[in-house]
Each structure stands twice: as C-alpha cells, then as structure tokens.
Amino acid sequence: MKLAYWMYAGPAHIGTLRVASSFKNVHAIMHAPLGDDYFNVMRSMLERERDFTPVTTSVVDRHVLARGSQEKVVENINRKDKQEKPDLIVLTPTCTSSILQEDLQNFVNRASLNSDSDVLLADVNHYRVNELQAADRTLEQIIRHYLKDLNSQNIKKTEQPSVNILGIFTLGFHNQHDCRELKRLLNDLGIKVNLIIPEGVSVKKLKTIPEAWLNIVPYREVGLMSALYLEKTFKMPFVSTCPIGLIDTANFVRELNEKLHTFSKINVEQYIDHQTRFISQAAWFSRSIDCQNLTGKKAVVFGDTTHAVALTKVLSREMGIRVVCAGTYCQHDADWFREQVEGFCDEILITEDHTQVSNMIARLEPSAIFGTQMERHVGKRLDIPCGVISAPIHIQNFPLGYRPFVGYEGANQIADLVYNSFTLGMEDHLLEIFGGHDVKTVITKTLSTNSDLQWSESSLAELQKIPGFVRNRIKRNTEKYAREQNIKQITLEVLYAAKEALAA
Amino acid sequence: MNTKLNFECETGNYHTFCPISCVAWLYQKIEDSFFLVIGTKTCGYFLQNALGVMIFAEPRYAMAELEEGDISAQLNDYKELKRLCLKIKQDRNPSVIVWIGTCTTEIIKMDLEGMAPKLESDICIPIVVARANGLDYAFTQGEDTVLSALVHRCPLTDPLNSESQKPFTTIEKKKNLVLFGSVSNTVANQLSLELEKQGINVSGWLPAQHYTDLPVLNKDIYVCGVNPFLSRTATTLMRRRKCKLIGAPFPIGPDGTRKWIEKICVSLGIKPIGLEDREKKIWIQIENYCKLIKGKSVFFMGDNLLEISLARFLIRCGMIVYEIGIPYMDKRFQAAELELLEKTCIQMNVPVPRIVEKPDNYNQIQRIRELQPDLVITGMGLANPLESRGINTKWSVEFTFAQIHGFTNATDILELVTRPLRRNKNLQQLETIQNYVYLK
C-alpha cells in the first residue's frame, strides 16, 4: 500500500479510452463499476467536446460480483453495435475487472459473432502499466489488428513523399495545436501527410498506413510502440526526435530529409536558416538584451519525458538559463530521460511522488519552475512563478488560441512562456533600486518552521526593502545562517553577514 | 391527466459520480477527521480530477493505494494499514480516521470491519469504516454509508450530564431532536434557528463539526433527515438506536421547508406558528425568478438523489417536469416527499412526471430529442454535448455543493436553475448567427 494524495499519470484504462475515443467511429465499453466513467466528464469538460464521448460502461454491480457478468457484457456490446454502428468496439478492462479475472476475451469472441463492428479486448494490465504506457500499447494493438492480414508485397507507396503522424490524441497537452504546426512544417517542406493517428482517423483507413514513406512520433510517451511495429513489419523508418525548440526542430527537419533521401526540392539548410532567423522570433529573442538578464537564473523542470527533456534543453542551450534540476514522473522510461538531459542540468529527479518534487523545489529555491499543474501549486505556496509545460493539466491548459509547443511557432510560444514566468528584467532591477512596491508586512508567509529567532527593528526594516518575491528567501537564508552561527538576535550586521556568506 | 405517481426502472447505464466523492465535503464538515480511501489508482484519479483545486489545500484525505502485492495477498493488509495510519497520526493527529472501502476492497474481501477495532486499540485513534463503493451505491449515497457508520459511535447517554442517567422524572422528559445530514455550518445554523423559532431545540447534528461532538442517540431521541439520500442512516438510527424517525418532506424550497418544520412540530406535539407568512414572503422574494421559468419544461437525468425534492419545488415554481431520473428510490424514506410531489402536481394542475429509477442515459437522450425540454439537469459528461445540440443544461452536481436548504436558500436554487435561461437572453444577438451551436 502507498499513501498517496496526488498522482501524475492516471490509471491504465484512461490511456486506452483516450486512444479509442480519438479514432472516428470507435466505441469503448468499460467493464467497470458505477462512477468509473469519469473519463467522459474529463473529455467533455477539458476538451470542451461537442459530441457525446463514445464510451459507455458495462456496469459491474453486486449481481455481477455474485454470478459473473455472464451475458451482460455481450449484450452491451451487441446493443452498442446496433445503436451507434461503430466500426470498432474496444472492450476496456479496469482495475476492478483485473481482479475479477473474468474471461473477457471469451465475451469478445462471442459478441463479435453477432455484431457488425469489429470487437477488440484492450490488452492492458491495470497493476502493471500506467495511463501513458496503456495508451501506447492500445494504439499499437489497434494498428496491428488492422494491418495483420496485409501483405507487405502489395503496398504501393505514395508518389510524393508522405508521412504518418503517430500519437496525436485526445486530452494530450496542446496536441491539437502541435498537430497543426507539424502539418504546416511538413507542408513547407513539400511532404504530404498520409494519416494522423489516432485523432479523427477511421480505423478503415489504417490499411493505408504503410503507403506513407515514414512515420513521425512527436511524443516519446505514445506512438513509439506502433512505430517500432511498423518498422519491423513494413520496413517503415521513423523519426522520433521531438521538434520542440529551435535546435531540435532543425534536427528533426534534417533527420526527415535524411530518411526520405529523395525529397530535395528545397534546400533544407536554407529553409532552417530562413525559419530560424526570420520566421521564428525565438533565436533573436535569446540574443536580445532582455534575455541577457535571464543568464544564469535558476530553473527547475518537471514533467513527462518529452516535455521535460525538451524544456531542459531549450532553457539551457537556447536561453542560457541554469536548470538546477530536471525530472520526470515517467519512471518506466528513466534511462532514456537520464541520457537525454545529461549535461543540461545539475541534478536529475525521477519520481512519482509529488512531495519529493515539492521538497526538491523548496530546497533549490529556483527563480522559476516549469512543470505540471502540481508544480504550479507548489510554486504558489513558495511564491515562485511556474509555467505549465506538461500533463497532468487543467482546463486552462486547453487554450482556445493557437499555442503549439513544436516547430517554429512553438519556439515563440515557449519563449513567451519562459519570459513571462520570470519576474523580470527591468522590473526586477527597478524593484531592487526602489525597495519594492509593497510595503505591507508580509514576512511570515513561509514554509520554514516558526523560528525562535529575534529580528531587530532595523533589520526588519531592511528586510522590508527587499523586493517581495525574494524576501522570503532572504529571510530563510538569514535565519539559516543565524542558526548555523548560533546567533539568537538578527541585527542589521547579521543580515549583511548572511548575504556575504551566501555570496561567497 | 395522469395524477398517480408511476415508477419505472431502466438498465442502470447512467453516469454519476462514485460515492467516494463524499470525502470531499465530509472532510471539510468534520474538521478533526481524516478520510483514508482504500482503493486503486482509479479511485485516486477520480478524486483528484473531480475535486479539482481542493486537493492542494492540504486536504485531510488520502488514498491508500493498493498495489499488486496487496491484491495477491503477498502483503499483510493489517500491517500495511497500520503503517499508513501511524503516519497519518504522526502528520495530522486527527480525532478519527474514516476508512472508505471501495470496489476493490469489496472484491478481494478485505475485512476492514474486522481490522478496524484491533488497529483502533493499537494506535489509539477511533477508526470508522464506511463501504462507499460503486458496486452498491451512487454519488451522494456515499455520505449515507459514512453517516450510518458514525451512528454507532454516537454516545448513548450524555457523559457530562450524568445525573440525567437516573430514571427520568416527569419534568426531565424534554423532547430531544437530532438532525442528520451533512450541510454547511451556515445552513445548519439557519435550520436550527428556524426550529428554535418554534420552540424546538436541536440537541445535535449528525455529523457535527467535530467528531468529538457527536450527538447523543437513544430511544428518547427524535431524528429527522435533511437530505433525501440518507435512507441507510435512517434505518440504522431506528433499528440500532431505537430513535424515533420523523418522516417529512425535505427542507428544499420554501414549500419543502415549511412542510418539514410543520411535520417536526406535529411529531413533537407543538403547534407551528407563523410558517404560512414566512413561506409567503419567500415566494414574493423569488417571484422574479419564477416568472422566468414559469411554463418551462425540465428533464432530470438523475444522478444525486436530490431529484424528487428539486422537481417538487420547481413544479411549485410553475415548471413542467417531464421526467425525474433517480439512481435509487427509497419509497419509504421519501414517502412524505413523494406525497407532497403528488399534491403539488394536482395543485399546480400539471401531469405527474414519470419517475425513472436506474435510468439509461442512451434512452434518456432519445427521449430528450423527442421532448425538447427547456432545461436538462444532468452530469457534466453529457452537458456540453447537449448544449452543442441547442439544449439548455444545468450541471446537477452544483445542487449537491450549493446551499439549497431552508427558506433563505430558495434563491440559490433558482439562481442555478435560471442561469442557462438568463445566459440565453444575454447571447440573443449571437443567436442571429446561424448555427453557432452545432445542430445535427
């Protein structure tokens, strides 16, 4: 048993449902107790989805517990088949059905006898995989199901170079915007998009996957399994570089060019140069005097592997910010994460425990955090600004406006996000000169334990002159110094001495 | 015209919240409690998402997340729970730990009721066990399971007033009233004051603000519910503590509140005074709201068991109710409420709505398509899709969290009910742009 208040990645069935409901005309039936269909609320609320979420529950209740589901699941599948006429029905196990150990595969086999839809049992174990792993697996399972009878001899590649984009799906962090930006980038390069999977695609079209020349997997978490399967079975190469940030976008374009060898209507290097210098503002921004003030500022990064890695790299090599700690909650992919951020940060933290993350932030006291909604709340408590860069996210992270993270427009967006997260530049400087704009005595708002230390009047007055957003830190540091030196009364001298000691 | 209530039962394929959600409002109500939900990631994910920001205000609830070792009994449940509860004791030092049993503990037959007394004496904190799982219950029924578990912890006699333990003298036979149901402290005060005006002293609430203040419950105590979903608690009070249950409509809307007070007065042998005027004044206050909804139709999809009371109030306000979906219908506990519903329909000269227990959302959507009601009260999973088809909706969960009890709060209910209609008024100009809602 684990005492948990909060979790970063959801349970396995959420991943399966996210993939299944992203396809066009695919219905998922959960084998679950009443109330487990919370996914519908999330999709309808967060994505502001206009259509009914194609997910229903075959309810597990007392009767099922006593006698087994018997005909219930089969009936529910056949009923949905008649009502909605989906192309595919995905039976989704949950934590409850995992322990009931009913033969769901048997239900699926029986149901498919009388149904016009295809029926599949999602192959995920609740206790072994999390939301992201399950999504990855389900996507591969569905693709495999529709390609298994395909003879790789008869595949005709498209005339023009074309690609599939794998892993764009519902409730993903800025997925829709990223997808649009990717299409724009590919269009610039004269590459056709064959299929975007699974968002909005019909399973009937999956047969045409191998007609593309190459697969793109923008996100590390979901799509990689499918890409590997397609590479093995249909010899389709794939590009898994995530085009976030100017350097990696350039790498992404070069890699595409290399793997598609023949497409050379445009000069790729010239394109990258043009985009970097004139279309995206991010490169110039890094050079501009404003960004100079960011040099050496401390930041902490935490999130899923894709975004945490990308942001760590962007901050350290494109903006000159010092990443004191980079971390991820994707424990299953820890090795890759370490390898990627090695050299771009001081520390690495891999954990699913949010208290470890908040303790780390409290200890390092960065000037800004880039993390999930959880880190945003930690930042609020510690008075440290936070930019949200990764799921888990809330409704405000499903913006109506165009906010990609990938590609050249993505670089602009990230630059804005980073810049706005720091309390900045001139403002910072002016506050220091004029002693801050808030003169109210708010010095007790702190996470450190109530101190036994006495602040003299003059030192307290001096503390007030320190800008609000660093005041707490100075206070904590001074008290720490005083304790180390065994000083009970904090005078002006002690305050300065602490500052000196810290600077040394 | 149909004037008899008729009950139907559908397939039970409907959307509602899991009953473990009751920890959200109960941990806030019982200030010295700690709620430990013993379940899986699924439960945790639901709580975290459903309760949104509350999670960050240092909540006094947590998950005991079961892992594969717990399921396959490689780990000892007792030792594991002890470890977690000791940690909770050390960090928070609550006066009570409430274990919420979930579907998983049900299926693996974890003997929570058996372990609790032993662990309780080991760590010296009371442990209350409530099985609020989705196998048996829906949404607000979670509170019902917790309160009925708390009944057993209420003192039989008042320990401070030990003299009253002597055989009652004739003067001592004061009638004591305990109200059950979790409402905000403001609402609890308001309802207590209303009764005080009638000369009735509320001797306690279940739950009280602190676990240590649980009310005395014995055969001399009259009890009355404030919420329609508390049938288990009512049964427990009657059977285990021999309390006298006052069956009344629920104090939702001025009509319900008046009947509720009247019924209590009658049961305690008191003649109610000034209630008619009090009710009339409220109706005048809410007249403008009623004008907005008069003659409009409403459809309850059903998910929180407040439906009968709300429908009854809205009919009295002049609305027409097509259907009352409800997860579970206890005709005995809600008898007075159902009777009032029937009477209200006759009085307002509208057909009696059909009551659909364990509704089927798919079928309901077909009926909504046909009926085109002016307002659908539904869960959030269906609200946006219905709105996009041009149907006004109100999120049903808001009624659970808003203050809706008593005379004073009738405005709040109507504020919620009329909001989509007022919104439409404001957006009239947008309506001239054809199909900004996406109609199929």
Side-chain angles (χ1 to χ4, degrees):
Chain A
M1 268 179 225
K2 203 165 79 180
L3 193 64
Y5 297 88
W6 210 81
M7 65 184 77
Y8 283 102
H13 71 269
I14 297 284
T16 297
L17 296 179
R18 280 176 61 189
V19 166
S21 62
S22 294
F23 280 105
K24 197 157 97 193
N25 211 22
V26 170
H27 199 98
I29 295 185
M30 296 165 68
H31 187 238
L34 199 64
D36 269 5
D37 58 351
Y38 192 71
F39 174 76
N40 296 32
V41 178
M42 289 178 60
R43 194 165 131 98
S44 157
M45 279 294 291
L46 299 178
E47 291 264 37
R48 301 181 190 88
E49 183 57 55
R50 299 176 196 213
D51 256 321
F52 292 105
T53 303
V55 173
T56 43
T57 314
S58 175
V59 179
V60 175
D61 56 16
R62 267 299 148 189
H63 298 289
V64 171
L65 219 53
R67 310 174 305 145
S69 292
Q70 296 190 336
E71 296 303 313
K72 201 170 181 179
V73 176
V74 177
E75 270 164 24
N76 276 318
I77 293 174
N78 288 333
R79 193 175 151 215
K80 233 359 110 181
D81 173 51
K82 302 258 149 23
Q83 286 171 350
E84 312 267 354
K85 301 194 177 20
D87 298 325
L88 168 69
I89 293 175
V90 180
L91 183 60
T92 310
T94 58
C95 59
T96 311
S97 59
S98 276
I99 31 179
L100 282 177
Q101 299 194 323
E102 285 194 273
D103 190 357
L104 295 178
Q105 187 58 53
N106 176 36
F107 295 153
V108 164
N109 296 343
R110 271 167 49 210
S112 43
L113 294 177
N114 289 322
S115 98
D116 296 329
S117 336
D118 301 318
V119 190
L120 262 185
L121 172 66
D123 171 30
V124 288
N125 179 329
H126 176 93
Y127 295 94
R128 302 269 167 89
V129 296
N130 68 18
E131 173 184 357
L132 298 168
Q133 292 164 289
D136 202 11
R137 195 178 283 250
T138 304
L139 184 60
E140 194 245 19
Q141 195 191 354
I142 293 175
I143 290 177
R144 188 189 284 263
H145 179 79
Y146 282 97
L147 294 188
K148 65 175 186 285
D149 298 328
L150 206 64
N151 187 344
S152 52
Q153 304 299 316
N154 308 337
I155 292 161
K156 258 178 70 191
K157 294 281 175 195
T158 55
E159 256 167 55
Q160 270 189 314
S162 67
V163 295
N164 302 312
I165 305 176
L166 298 175
I168 304 285
F169 66 138
T170 191
L171 292 171
F173 181 72
H174 293 234
N175 267 201
Q176 308 303 335
H177 311 279
D178 283 356
C179 183
R180 201 169 126 197
E181 183 65 18
L182 272 176
K183 282 200 275 191
R184 197 164 84 172
L185 185 73
L186 293 167
N187 188 43
D188 283 354
L189 296 168
I191 303 170
K192 279 241 158 9
V193 175
N194 185 46
L195 290 178
I196 291 161
I197 305 165
E199 186 64 50
V201 77
S202 157
V203 285
K204 287 179 182 156
K205 281 210 173 145
L206 291 181
K207 279 199 302 293
T208 64
I209 290 179
E211 287 172 16
W213 296 24
L214 178 115
N215 290 313
I216 293 174
V217 186
Y219 309 113
R220 174 81 188 167
E221 288 75 22
V222 177
L224 214 51
M225 269 181 86
S226 313
L228 287 168
Y229 161 76
L230 292 168
E231 186 186 43
K232 199 170 147 233
T233 320
F234 299 98
K235 304 203 171 46
M236 294 179 79
F238 67 89
V239 173
S240 64
T241 303
C242 173
I244 296 182
L246 292 171
I247 296 177
D248 270 348
T249 303
N251 288 339
F252 171 82
V253 172
R254 286 188 195 111
E255 210 178 321
L256 269 183
N257 186 37
E258 206 177 291
K259 292 204 169 148
L260 290 171
H261 5 225
T262 44
F263 101 94
S264 48
K265 263 182 255 159
I266 58 163
N267 183 330
V268 166
E269 287 307 323
Q270 217 168 33
Y271 174 77
I272 293 172
D273 182 61
H274 180 76
Q275 290 286 325
T276 311
R277 280 205 289 158
F278 304 110
I279 305 301
S280 168
Q281 300 297 312
W284 159 239
F285 169 74
S286 306
R287 186 73 208 182
S288 74
I289 200 73
D290 244 351
C291 200
Q292 207 177 72
N293 288 340
L294 294 180
T295 308
K297 289 249 184 202
K298 291 198 293 182
V300 158
V301 179
F302 195 84
D304 62 12
T305 43
T306 304
H307 292 92
V309 164
L311 255 288
T312 304
K313 287 181 178 173
V314 169
L315 291 175
S316 70
R317 64 183 182 184
E318 292 179 25
M319 299 183 129
I321 290 160
R322 184 167 152 218
V323 179
V324 281
C325 183
T328 182
Y329 54 85
C330 297
Q331 287 179 316
H332 61 276
D333 210 9
D335 291 341
W336 183 80
F337 184 81
R338 278 201 198 90
E339 185 192 306
Q340 290 295 308
V341 298
E342 193 63 55
F344 295 111
C345 59
D346 302 352
E347 277 181 50
I348 295 170
L349 178 68
I350 288 156
T351 181
E352 282 188 312
D353 179 356
H354 73 91
T355 52
Q356 269 194 43
V357 180
S358 51
N359 287 342
M360 176 266 290
I361 293 172
R363 173 172 57 85
L364 294 172
E365 301 198 27
S367 310
I369 311 166
F370 298 94
T372 69
Q373 275 294 330
M374 188 67 207
E375 282 67 49
R376 194 171 72 86
H377 285 271
V378 173
K380 267 190 191 165
R381 280 172 54 194
L382 294 166
D383 242 341
I384 302 171
C386 177
V388 175
I389 55 139
S390 155
I393 38 180
H394 212 54
I395 192 149
Q396 66 261 44
N397 305 110
F398 290 88
L400 303 177
Y402 187 48
R403 298 270 161 73
F405 264 63
V406 305
Y408 290 104
E409 177 56 26
N412 288 341
Q413 297 290 339
I414 294 173
D416 277 343
L417 179 79
V418 171
Y419 184 73
N420 293 335
S421 295
F422 286 96
T423 314
L424 268 175
M426 264 339 243
E427 195 187 344
D428 183 337
H429 191 56
L430 289 173
L431 279 170
E432 230 159 302
I433 291 173
F434 297 115
H437 43 53
D438 66 338
V439 283
K440 285 197 203 103
T441 318
V442 195
I443 53 165
T444 46
K445 198 174 65 182
T446 161
L447 285 187
S448 63
T449 48
N450 274 343
S451 75
D452 43 346
L453 296 164
Q454 289 275 322
W455 284 73
S456 76
E457 229 166 83
S458 57
S459 63
L460 216 49
E462 185 66 19
L463 192 64
Q464 285 313 300
K465 287 190 202 152
I466 294 162
F469 58 92
V470 286
R471 192 182 301 144
N472 275 331
R473 195 189 318 161
I474 304 280
K475 181 171 181 257
R476 278 196 292 275
N477 283 338
T478 312
E479 291 186 347
K480 196 168 135 205
Y481 171 82
R483 272 195 205 95
E484 277 166 12
Q485 304 292 320
N486 238 338
I487 299 168
K488 286 272 176 280
Q489 168 93 6
I490 296 174
T491 57
L492 216 48
E493 287 93 291
V494 179
L495 186 68
Y496 293 143
K499 196 179 170 196
E500 265 174 45
L502 217 72
Chain B
M1 196 163 72
N2 189 13
T3 53
K4 265 261 161 291
L5 286 175
N6 59 333
F7 298 90
E8 286 168 47
C9 190
E10 277 190 312
T11 62
N13 268 319
Y14 64 102
H15 166 75
T16 182
F17 273 14
C18 174
I20 58 172
S21 51
C22 68
V23 305
W25 62 88
L26 287 176
Y27 93 80
Q28 290 184 356
K29 174 74 195 177
I30 311 172
E31 288 172 10
D32 51 353
S33 63
F34 192 99
F35 284 79
L36 185 66
V37 181
I38 304 162
T40 59
K41 243 184 175 6
T42 307
C43 313
Y45 198 65
F46 163 70
L47 280 180
Q48 157 177 337
N49 283 296
L51 310 181
V53 286
M54 273 190 258
I55 210 114
F56 302 105
E58 295 269 325
R60 290 185 319 279
Y61 69 79
M63 290 291 307
E65 197 183 310
L66 300 169
E67 290 164 302
E68 201 164 13
D70 301 300
I71 304 299
S72 53
Q74 284 162 358
L75 297 168
N76 181 310
D77 297 337
Y78 183 79
K79 278 191 196 150
E80 290 293 298
L81 281 169
K82 185 174 174 183
R83 183 170 59 83
L84 300 193
C85 288
L86 278 173
K87 178 135 184 33
I88 292 165
K89 185 186 177 185
Q90 185 199 332
D91 292 352
R92 307 291 175 93
N93 195 29
S95 314
V96 60
I97 297 177
V98 183
W99 285 353
I100 303 286
T102 61
C103 304
T104 313
T105 57
E106 253 351 86
I107 295 169
I108 63 173
K109 301 200 162 45
M110 196 184 271
D111 182 20
L112 298 178
E113 278 93 347
M115 282 186 279
K118 193 157 168 258
L119 191 59
E120 184 169 320
S121 61
D122 269 12
I123 67 169
C124 301
I125 291 184
I127 293 173
V128 173
V129 181
R131 302 177 178 201
N133 61 65
L135 295 168
D136 301 304
Y137 305 110
F139 195 13
T140 48
Q141 287 180 296
E143 175 180 325
D144 195 19
T145 63
V146 174
L147 296 192
S148 65
L150 279 176
V151 170
H152 300 283
R153 300 305 179 112
C154 294
L156 265 165
T157 50
D158 195 344
L160 296 174
N161 222 345
S162 51
E163 273 139 75
S164 66
Q165 280 180 25
K166 289 186 294 189
F168 283 114
T169 56
T170 39
I171 320 147
E172 264 295 323
K173 256 195 179 164
K174 207 175 106 193
K175 281 170 181 159
N176 280 320
L177 175 70
V178 169
L179 299 177
F180 59 97
S182 165
V183 285
S184 75
N185 296 331
T186 325
V187 173
N189 288 338
Q190 283 167 351
L191 290 177
S192 301
L193 275 174
E194 292 293 350
L195 289 170
E196 222 164 85
K197 281 185 203 158
Q198 305 294 335
I200 299 167
N201 177 38
V202 177
S203 67
W205 279 82
L206 178 72
Q209 216 168 329
H210 296 275
Y211 174 75
T212 42
D213 297 340
L214 282 178
V216 175
L217 290 175
N218 56 38
K219 63 177 171 39
D220 299 318
I221 305 280
Y222 283 82
V223 290
C224 188
V226 297
N227 274 322
F229 44 76
L230 298 171
S231 56
R232 249 176 99 87
T233 311
T235 315
T236 314
L237 285 166
M238 286 192 296
R239 294 207 182 137
R240 294 307 181 86
R241 289 302 175 95
K242 310 288 179 216
C243 298
K244 298 180 189 109
L245 180 72
I246 302 172
F250 299 97
I252 292 167
D255 49 341
T257 309
R258 179 183 157 190
K259 292 278 180 221
W260 182 73
I261 298 174
E262 275 177 2
K263 191 69 196 286
I264 292 174
C265 287
V266 169
S267 305
L268 299 182
I270 292 167
K271 199 170 172 311
I273 35 166
L275 279 181
E276 227 163 297
D277 283 351
R278 183 96 171 91
E279 192 194 344
K280 221 178 264 165
K281 270 198 196 120
I282 301 292
W283 283 114
I284 292 166
Q285 260 178 40
I286 58 178
E287 216 178 335
N288 280 334
Y289 285 114
C290 290
K291 272 183 202 153
L292 265 176
I293 51 172
K294 196 167 163 35
K296 295 243 161 54
S297 56
V298 58
F299 189 109
F300 286 87
M301 291 192 81
D303 72 347
N304 59 13
L305 285 99
L306 294 170
E307 292 87 2
I308 302 281
S309 312
L310 288 172
R312 178 259 301 151
F313 170 53
L314 292 182
I315 290 172
R316 183 69 185 72
C317 290
M319 290 188 93
I320 298 155
V321 177
Y322 285 148
E323 173 166 332
I324 308 177
I326 187 166
Y328 168 73
M329 180 75 246
D330 186 332
K331 286 182 204 160
R332 282 206 321 192
F333 183 60
Q334 296 222 41
E337 184 62 82
L338 287 169
E339 196 188 323
L340 182 59
L341 171 68
E342 223 169 13
K343 265 191 206 154
T344 308
C345 289
I346 294 167
Q347 187 194 347
M348 300 302 292
N349 196 27
V350 292
V352 172
R354 58 196 274 180
I355 296 174
V356 181
E357 204 178 344
K358 290 179 147 213
D360 182 298
N361 280 166
Y362 182 85
N363 296 343
Q364 284 184 315
I365 289 166
Q366 309 307 317
R367 294 199 285 271
I368 288 171
R369 279 212 178 114
E370 250 168 62
L371 295 164
Q372 292 287 319
D374 295 307
L375 180 68
V376 175
I377 296 181
T378 181
M380 204 32 121
L382 300 167
N384 267 338
L386 284 171
E387 287 282 353
S388 82
R389 282 157 183 76
I391 289 175
N392 297 314
T393 59
K394 186 77 224 132
W395 191 21
S396 54
V397 174
E398 287 187 66
F399 293 101
T400 325
F401 294 120
Q403 306 194 342
I404 60 169
H405 295 81
F407 286 121
T408 329
N409 296 316
T411 332
D412 289 47
I413 306 177
L414 292 181
E415 180 76 19
L416 287 178
V417 170
T418 56
R419 195 168 292 158
L421 305 169
R422 285 179 286 133
R423 183 257 339 249
N424 288 355
K425 245 185 189 169
N426 295 339
L427 297 187
Q428 244 158 21
Q429 286 218 309
L430 203 52
E431 298 280 353
T432 57
I433 304 168
Q434 284 295 301
N435 295 331
Y436 86 96
V437 283
Y438 127 121
L439 300 164
K440 251 190 185 167

